Amino acid sequence: MAACDDAVVSSPPSTPTAGRPRSGTRRLPAATAREEILDAAAELFAQRGYTATSTRLIAEAVGIRQASLYYHFANKEQILAELLEATVRPSLAYAGELSRKDLTAAVALRELVKYDVGVLLGARWNIGVLYALPEIATEPFTHFRRERERLRLAYRRLAAAAASDRIGDPDVAGDLVFGLVESVIGMRRDLPVLSSAEQLQRTVAAAALRLLGADDDRSDDPA
Amino acid sequence: MAACDDAVVSSPPSTPTAGRPRSGTRRLPAATAREEILDAAAELFAQRGYTATSTRLIAEAVGIRQASLYYHFANKEQILAELLEATVRPSLAYAGELSRKDLTAAVALRELVKYDVGVLLGARWNIGVLYALPEIATEPFTHFRRERERLRLAYRRLAAAAASDRIGDPDVAGDLVFGLVESVIGMRRDLPVLSSAEQLQRTVAAAALRLLGADDDRSDDPA
């Protein structure tokens, strides 16, 4: 699950810092300025709230001037959009990879759930709490909303193929699996102590298959 | 599920309007001023955001003066706390009722899930989206957080008693059922069309029992 560690930090480590050198100590060793801005914004958005966080505050947290921040991001919306997309993009790509492999729907679904839970738990800040912001319904987040719907559809497809016949509406079943996966966002927010990421990945995946009445044949679990 | 209809509006219809008569048309026929304030605040919080909504805006939406609003609520926090508590209080009371009946854990859990999903879907505004606000971690919401944790514990207890032996950590299983129930908040937020409340109540309840590997014996479903 090494891929999960850079869920928030998705651009390749390339551009050196724009503008003047930073004053404070670096938040993330070996990170680009862009990555540090995303990390600081994620912390402030998740802990202070999106509305209460200004680009000035973000720049201060990174130790750069606001002008340097605007070299990387046009505005606060663009920072949030990038953070949100980073919670979905890796899992969507992984769903694509899985679809090109010769796996049963149940096995592919188990792998997708494990991966996706890993992404949601692996990010340094619990960005998923921001899904509930009313702002998400507006234009700057159209691409994020579309990507998240594509991920939902991947779950619906796999759930429909994996579910036993006695399950009702397969779309609802897929939505419930999607909701079960995203429930780790709430667990991470609400519980003082969580099981290890690896354990939760397996637990949620197994729960998803049982929810669908799908055979959870452990023998073909590659992990 | 008639009880769910007044999930947001929890005080008995008693006090007549304080202050001057309202200027606009009434938002809710036969509602008290307090209920109308809660309703207007719920709509504004859920659709504009909590930070972006002032008590002045709420008073305007109801068609009363701010002074009249302060007759009912000390501040914005108190309005939000009341709205949040109303999403949890009925289900918590119902969990208590169920525990005094002679039901198997699986049947009690199914009834609680159905009821709770009904409360979350039945409220006029999708208040659950506000669970993710960073403000919830602060003092004015201590009581709400405690009540919600009590509801989580009710789920954990029932899940532990209903789950089959092959399920791992029973606390995590209870948390997953709790998350599954609350996933209807995200469905209500994200999907343009939802199944009927009654159908979702049954679907989520059945999914919860399968998730736990619990016998879903339809014969003892009273509904």
XYZ file of all heavy atoms in Angstrom, chain B residues 70-142:
575
model
N -33.144 35.739 19.193
C -32.386 35.574 20.435
C -33.283 35.277 21.630
O -32.802 34.866 22.675
C -31.498 36.797 20.693
C -30.313 36.853 19.765
C -30.104 37.924 18.909
C -29.401 35.794 19.729
C -29.017 37.955 18.043
C -28.315 35.811 18.867
C -28.131 36.895 18.031
O -27.059 36.918 17.182
N -34.582 35.503 21.474
C -35.505 35.095 22.534
C -35.527 33.566 22.627
O -35.697 32.984 23.696
C -36.902 35.640 22.212
C -37.980 35.180 23.145
C -38.216 35.856 24.350
C -38.769 34.075 22.832
C -39.209 35.424 25.214
C -39.762 33.646 23.699
C -39.978 34.327 24.882
O -40.960 33.898 25.727
N -35.323 32.901 21.498
C -35.400 31.430 21.473
C -34.040 30.745 21.590
O -33.939 29.657 22.148
C -36.071 30.969 20.171
C -37.495 31.385 20.068
N -38.499 30.738 20.746
C -38.087 32.390 19.388
C -39.653 31.320 20.476
N -39.436 32.326 19.660
N -33.000 31.378 21.024
C -31.675 30.746 21.013
C -30.612 31.775 21.383
O -30.613 32.888 20.861
C -31.359 30.177 19.624
C -32.274 29.065 19.217
C -33.374 29.317 18.402
C -32.058 27.760 19.652
C -34.231 28.289 18.033
C -32.909 26.730 19.281
C -34.007 26.996 18.469
N -29.677 31.383 22.261
C -28.650 32.308 22.720
C -27.705 32.689 21.585
O -27.204 33.813 21.531
C -27.864 31.688 23.870
N -27.447 31.779 20.673
C -26.493 32.048 19.587
C -26.624 30.980 18.501
O -27.415 30.049 18.610
C -25.066 32.087 20.149
C -24.795 30.875 21.029
O -25.176 29.763 20.682
N -24.161 31.090 22.166
N -25.801 31.135 17.472
C -25.840 30.234 16.318
C -25.460 28.812 16.720
O -26.040 27.841 16.222
C -24.880 30.777 15.250
C -25.110 30.221 13.872
C -24.301 30.979 12.803
C -22.847 30.602 12.825
N -22.130 30.971 11.558
N -24.469 28.695 17.615
C -24.031 27.379 18.082
C -25.206 26.603 18.670
O -25.358 25.398 18.449
C -22.943 27.495 19.162
C -21.564 27.860 18.674
C -21.444 29.334 18.330
O -22.284 30.148 18.799
O -20.528 29.689 17.559
N -26.021 27.330 19.440
C -27.126 26.630 20.121
C -28.151 26.117 19.108
O -28.735 25.038 19.297
C -27.790 27.579 21.119
C -28.414 26.848 22.293
C -29.385 27.741 23.059
O -29.062 28.873 23.402
N -30.586 27.225 23.320
N -28.334 26.852 18.037
C -29.254 26.393 16.986
C -28.694 25.129 16.328
O -29.399 24.126 16.155
C -29.473 27.497 15.920
C -30.072 28.749 16.569
C -30.371 26.982 14.798
C -30.253 29.914 15.595
N -27.395 25.178 16.000
C -26.785 23.998 15.369
C -26.828 22.795 16.305
O -27.149 21.676 15.879
C -25.333 24.306 14.959
C -24.572 23.128 14.342
C -25.257 22.609 13.077
C -23.121 23.516 14.019
N -26.533 23.037 17.590
C -26.538 21.926 18.543
C -27.913 21.268 18.594
O -28.038 20.042 18.587
C -26.118 22.421 19.932
N -28.958 22.088 18.614
C -30.316 21.551 18.664
C -30.625 20.729 17.402
O -31.210 19.644 17.471
C -31.325 22.693 18.819
C -32.784 22.294 18.706
C -33.199 21.172 19.656
O -32.639 21.111 20.767
O -34.056 20.359 19.257
N -30.219 21.261 16.246
C -30.456 20.544 14.985
C -29.720 19.206 14.968
O -30.275 18.183 14.550
C -29.988 21.396 13.797
C -30.850 22.607 13.450
C -30.145 23.489 12.431
C -32.211 22.156 12.910
N -28.480 19.211 15.423
C -27.690 17.976 15.423
C -28.286 16.967 16.392
O -28.409 15.775 16.076
C -26.242 18.288 15.802
C -25.444 19.095 14.779
C -24.114 19.540 15.385
C -25.196 18.290 13.514
N -28.641 17.445 17.577
C -29.194 16.519 18.575
C -30.483 15.885 18.071
O -30.763 14.722 18.366
C -29.400 17.243 19.915
C -28.054 17.522 20.597
C -28.157 18.448 21.816
O -29.209 18.446 22.485
O -27.168 19.173 22.084
N -31.246 16.650 17.294
C -32.511 16.114 16.775
C -32.295 14.988 15.759
O -33.219 14.226 15.468
C -33.331 17.233 16.139
N -31.062 14.861 15.204
C -30.798 13.760 14.278
C -30.473 12.469 15.014
O -30.421 11.403 14.410
C -29.595 14.070 13.344
O -28.401 14.161 14.147
C -29.797 15.364 12.579
N -30.203 12.573 16.309
C -29.719 11.428 17.074
C -30.723 11.021 18.163
O -30.920 9.839 18.439
C -28.346 11.772 17.711
C -27.951 10.749 18.743
C -27.268 11.884 16.630
N -31.371 12.033 18.761
C -32.215 11.813 19.939
C -33.315 10.764 19.700
O -33.469 9.846 20.507
C -32.808 13.142 20.400
C -33.380 13.123 21.801
C -34.103 14.438 22.098
N -33.218 15.591 22.056
C -33.442 16.692 21.329
N -34.529 16.796 20.589
N -32.591 17.690 21.355
N -34.069 10.869 18.582
C -35.159 9.897 18.403
C -34.647 8.456 18.294
O -35.242 7.542 18.863
C -35.814 10.332 17.080
C -35.357 11.720 16.823
C -34.032 11.862 17.479
N -33.534 8.267 17.591
C -33.011 6.914 17.403
C -32.463 6.356 18.712
O -32.586 5.162 18.999
C -31.917 6.911 16.333
O -32.444 7.393 15.123
N -31.879 7.246 19.512
C -31.364 6.823 20.805
C -32.523 6.395 21.708
O -32.447 5.363 22.395
C -30.604 8.002 21.423
C -29.630 7.735 22.545
C -28.650 6.641 22.176
C -28.865 9.031 22.858
N -33.590 7.161 21.698
C -34.763 6.793 22.493
C -35.344 5.470 21.997
O -35.736 4.608 22.791
C -35.819 7.903 22.397
N -35.359 5.291 20.684
C -35.907 4.056 20.127
C -35.038 2.853 20.506
O -35.557 1.771 20.798
C -36.017 4.190 18.604
C -36.815 3.103 17.956
C -38.166 2.944 18.236
C -36.224 2.215 17.063
C -38.905 1.938 17.645
C -36.953 1.205 16.457
C -38.292 1.074 16.756
O -39.017 0.076 16.175
N -33.710 3.052 20.514
C -32.802 1.981 20.935
C -33.126 1.566 22.376
O -33.110 0.374 22.710
C -31.350 2.425 20.819
N -33.446 2.553 23.221
C -33.823 2.257 24.598
C -35.110 1.447 24.665
O -35.192 0.453 25.395
N -36.098 1.868 23.876
C -37.364 1.117 23.807
C -37.125 -0.324 23.386
O -37.674 -1.264 23.972
C -38.300 1.741 22.758
C -39.137 2.893 23.234
C -39.979 3.442 22.076
O -40.605 2.645 21.349
O -39.967 4.671 21.893
N -36.310 -0.494 22.345
C -36.049 -1.842 21.817
C -35.406 -2.726 22.870
O -35.699 -3.921 22.965
C -35.137 -1.764 20.579
C -35.772 -1.214 19.300
C -34.701 -0.964 18.242
C -36.842 -2.173 18.770
N -34.519 -2.110 23.684
C -33.801 -2.914 24.676
C -34.737 -3.418 25.766
O -34.412 -4.365 26.479
C -32.655 -2.088 25.288
O -33.200 -1.077 26.116
N -35.898 -2.759 25.930
C -36.862 -3.211 26.938
C -37.827 -4.253 26.389
O -38.676 -4.763 27.115
C -37.628 -2.008 27.505
C -36.750 -1.151 28.445
C -37.536 -0.029 29.106
N -37.968 0.991 28.164
C -37.204 2.014 27.759
N -35.979 2.159 28.211
N -37.680 2.909 26.896
N -37.707 -4.543 25.070
C -38.569 -5.565 24.478
C -37.834 -6.889 24.422
O -36.607 -6.940 24.483
C -38.975 -5.150 23.056
C -39.985 -4.019 23.019
C -40.400 -3.735 21.593
C -41.342 -2.548 21.531
N -41.577 -2.124 20.128
N -38.593 -7.935 24.267
C -37.984 -9.267 24.239
C -37.692 -9.656 22.787
O -38.420 -10.429 22.183
C -38.948 -10.267 24.893
C -38.295 -11.629 25.028
O -37.052 -11.681 25.114
O -39.037 -12.626 25.016
N -36.624 -9.059 22.241
C -36.290 -9.288 20.833
C -34.904 -9.915 20.726
O -34.047 -9.660 21.566
C -36.273 -7.956 20.070
C -37.561 -7.140 20.035
C -37.299 -5.763 19.446
C -38.631 -7.882 19.232
N -34.682 -10.698 19.681
C -33.315 -11.148 19.435
C -32.506 -9.932 19.006
O -33.042 -8.928 18.523
C -33.260 -12.189 18.301
O -33.635 -11.546 17.074
C -34.190 -13.361 18.578
N -31.182 -10.027 19.154
C -30.307 -8.907 18.784
C -30.466 -8.579 17.309
O -30.478 -7.397 16.920
C -28.851 -9.242 19.109
N -30.602 -9.601 16.466
C -30.721 -9.359 15.019
C -31.994 -8.576 14.704
O -31.967 -7.634 13.907
C -30.697 -10.677 14.248
N -33.090 -8.964 15.345
C -34.356 -8.261 15.085
C -34.280 -6.834 15.609
O -34.680 -5.878 14.923
C -35.535 -9.024 15.729
C -36.804 -8.187 15.667
C -35.738 -10.357 15.021
N -33.735 -6.661 16.828
C -33.616 -5.317 17.392
C -32.726 -4.443 16.510
O -33.049 -3.279 16.245
C -33.051 -5.390 18.811
N -31.643 -5.015 16.022
C -30.739 -4.245 15.166
C -31.449 -3.839 13.877
O -31.342 -2.697 13.426
C -29.481 -5.049 14.836
C -28.439 -4.271 14.033
C -27.773 -3.197 14.875
C -27.374 -5.205 13.464
N -32.196 -4.777 13.303
C -32.907 -4.441 12.062
C -33.889 -3.297 12.303
O -33.968 -2.359 11.508
C -33.649 -5.665 11.520
C -34.416 -5.336 10.242
C -34.899 -6.573 9.510
N -35.782 -7.367 10.343
C -35.777 -8.679 10.405
N -34.917 -9.382 9.695
N -36.612 -9.318 11.194
N -34.591 -3.356 13.429
C -35.563 -2.295 13.719
C -34.867 -0.960 13.950
O -35.346 0.076 13.500
C -36.413 -2.689 14.932
C -37.339 -3.861 14.668
C -38.135 -3.691 13.377
O -38.855 -2.678 13.270
O -38.010 -4.547 12.474
N -33.734 -0.996 14.659
C -33.015 0.254 14.927
C -32.497 0.864 13.629
O -32.622 2.075 13.407
C -31.859 0.009 15.910
C -31.019 1.244 16.253
C -31.878 2.362 16.833
C -29.887 0.883 17.226
N -31.921 0.033 12.758
C -31.406 0.547 11.480
C -32.540 1.166 10.676
O -32.409 2.284 10.155
C -30.711 -0.569 10.674
C -30.403 -0.086 9.254
C -29.438 -1.029 11.368
N -33.673 0.467 10.608
C -34.792 0.999 9.829
C -35.256 2.348 10.390
O -35.503 3.299 9.644
C -35.966 -0.006 9.817
C -35.752 -1.146 8.843
C -36.665 -2.328 9.083
C -38.124 -2.019 8.863
N -38.961 -3.234 9.111
N -35.353 2.405 11.712
C -35.820 3.634 12.342
C -34.847 4.791 12.093
O -35.233 5.895 11.700
C -36.003 3.398 13.845
C -36.624 4.575 14.558
C -38.001 4.658 14.718
C -35.841 5.604 15.054
C -38.584 5.739 15.359
C -36.408 6.694 15.689
C -37.773 6.754 15.845
O -38.336 7.831 16.470
N -33.550 4.490 12.321
C -32.509 5.514 12.228
C -32.403 6.035 10.788
O -32.309 7.256 10.553
C -31.185 4.893 12.692
C -30.170 5.918 13.144
O -30.448 7.121 13.069
O -29.069 5.505 13.567
N -32.427 5.136 9.816
C -32.414 5.554 8.414
C -33.642 6.425 8.131
O -33.547 7.441 7.425
C -32.372 4.326 7.467
C -32.666 4.724 6.017
C -31.015 3.631 7.556
N -34.771 6.059 8.723
C -35.980 6.860 8.558
C -35.813 8.268 9.112
O -36.265 9.239 8.502
N -35.165 8.391 10.265
C -34.925 9.718 10.844
C -34.022 10.541 9.922
O -34.302 11.706 9.628
C -34.280 9.587 12.249
C -33.785 10.949 12.744
C -35.273 8.996 13.240
N -32.936 9.915 9.443
C -31.977 10.661 8.619
C -32.578 11.063 7.275
O -32.263 12.122 6.737
C -30.700 9.829 8.404
C -29.874 9.574 9.671
C -28.702 8.644 9.370
C -29.370 10.884 10.275
N -33.454 10.223 6.735
C -34.077 10.565 5.447
C -35.313 11.432 5.631
O -35.706 12.157 4.716
C -34.482 9.288 4.692
C -33.359 8.391 4.195
C -33.939 7.156 3.520
C -32.444 9.137 3.223
N -35.925 11.364 6.810
C -37.206 12.028 7.008
C -37.104 13.505 7.336
O -38.056 14.255 7.128
N -35.956 13.940 7.830
C -35.808 15.356 8.174
C -35.886 16.194 6.898
O -35.395 15.780 5.848
C -34.466 15.585 8.867
N -36.518 17.376 7.003
C -36.695 18.209 5.817
C -35.370 18.597 5.171
O -35.281 18.719 3.957
C -37.435 19.492 6.217
C -38.808 19.626 5.608
C -39.651 20.631 6.377
N -39.290 22.014 6.111
C -39.828 22.752 5.109
N -40.689 22.216 4.290
N -39.488 24.010 4.964
N -34.330 18.820 5.980
C -33.010 19.161 5.453
C -32.016 18.119 5.921
O -32.162 17.532 6.994
C -32.607 20.574 5.905
C -33.692 21.566 5.628
C -34.540 22.120 6.534
C -34.111 22.060 4.349
N -35.441 22.934 5.912
C -35.203 22.919 4.563
C -33.652 21.866 3.035
C -35.853 23.583 3.524
C -34.299 22.525 2.008
C -35.383 23.377 2.254
N -30.986 17.922 5.085
C -30.039 16.836 5.317
C -28.974 17.250 6.334
O -27.809 17.458 6.007
C -29.414 16.472 3.961
C -28.714 15.129 3.982
O -28.876 14.343 4.919
N -27.929 14.860 2.957
N -29.425 17.360 7.592
C -28.581 17.892 8.665
C -27.298 17.088 8.884
O -26.280 17.633 9.301
C -29.382 17.915 9.986
C -30.582 18.837 9.850
C -28.526 18.378 11.152
C -30.210 20.227 9.480
N -27.358 15.801 8.600
C -26.190 14.947 8.830
C -24.933 15.437 8.141
O -23.825 15.161 8.597
N -25.075 16.187 7.034
C -23.868 16.707 6.374
C -23.071 17.607 7.314
O -21.875 17.815 7.107
C -24.179 17.480 5.057
C -24.796 16.564 4.020
C -25.064 18.685 5.320
N -23.722 18.130 8.349
C -23.035 19.030 9.274
C -22.192 18.285 10.308
O -21.425 18.903 11.043
C -24.051 19.953 9.964
C -24.915 20.783 9.000
C -26.055 21.471 9.744
C -24.082 21.826 8.268
N -22.315 16.953 10.364
C -21.473 16.177 11.286
C -19.990 16.435 11.017
O -19.164 16.272 11.904
C -21.708 14.670 11.114
C -23.041 14.145 11.576
C -23.405 12.820 11.318
C -23.930 14.931 12.291
C -24.618 12.307 11.732
C -25.148 14.436 12.710
C -25.487 13.116 12.419
O -26.690 12.603 12.838
N -19.658 16.785 9.760
C -18.251 16.927 9.375
C -17.678 18.299 9.712
O -16.491 18.526 9.506
C -18.087 16.652 7.876
N -18.485 19.216 10.238
C -17.973 20.546 10.570
C -16.905 20.465 11.649
O -17.092 19.794 12.662
C -19.111 21.431 11.096
C -20.094 22.018 10.092
C -21.268 22.650 10.836
C -19.399 23.063 9.227
N -15.795 21.179 11.472
C -14.766 21.165 12.510
C -15.286 21.719 13.843
O -14.829 21.307 14.901
C -13.663 22.077 11.948
C -14.016 22.390 10.548
C -15.440 22.015 10.310
N -16.275 22.623 13.768
C -16.840 23.208 14.993
C -17.381 22.144 15.947
O -17.437 22.364 17.166
C -17.972 24.182 14.647
C -17.531 25.516 14.090
C -17.277 25.472 12.573
O -17.274 24.361 11.990
O -17.075 26.552 11.997
N -17.827 21.010 15.394
C -18.450 19.972 16.215
C -17.514 19.485 17.320
O -17.965 18.975 18.348
C -18.878 18.778 15.323
C -19.795 19.250 14.192
C -19.575 17.700 16.124
C -21.058 19.890 14.634
N -16.216 19.650 17.106
C -15.252 19.198 18.121
C -15.209 20.138 19.322
O -14.580 19.813 20.332
C -13.861 19.088 17.494
N -15.878 21.303 19.254
C -15.763 22.294 20.322
C -16.850 22.105 21.388
O -17.776 21.315 21.229
C -15.819 23.728 19.750
O -17.099 23.914 19.124
C -14.716 23.945 18.718
N -16.735 22.913 22.436
C -17.543 22.736 23.652
C -19.056 22.760 23.436
O -19.757 21.893 23.972
C -17.117 23.794 24.689
C -17.572 23.502 26.105
C -19.041 23.883 26.325
O -19.473 24.930 25.792
O -19.747 23.109 27.009
N -19.607 23.714 22.662
C -21.080 23.774 22.600
C -21.723 22.489 22.074
O -22.938 22.321 22.198
C -21.347 24.934 21.612
C -20.098 25.729 21.576
C -18.972 24.778 21.861
N -20.896 21.602 21.509
C -21.459 20.393 20.905
C -21.106 19.128 21.679
O -21.288 18.021 21.183
C -21.014 20.321 19.436
C -21.346 21.575 18.691
C -20.366 22.514 18.401
C -22.665 21.849 18.350
C -20.690 23.701 17.751
C -23.000 23.032 17.709
C -22.014 23.955 17.404
N -20.629 19.333 22.908
C -20.257 18.189 23.744
C -21.447 17.252 23.945
O -21.311 16.030 23.834
C -19.760 18.677 25.128
O -18.758 19.663 24.912
C -19.202 17.529 25.936
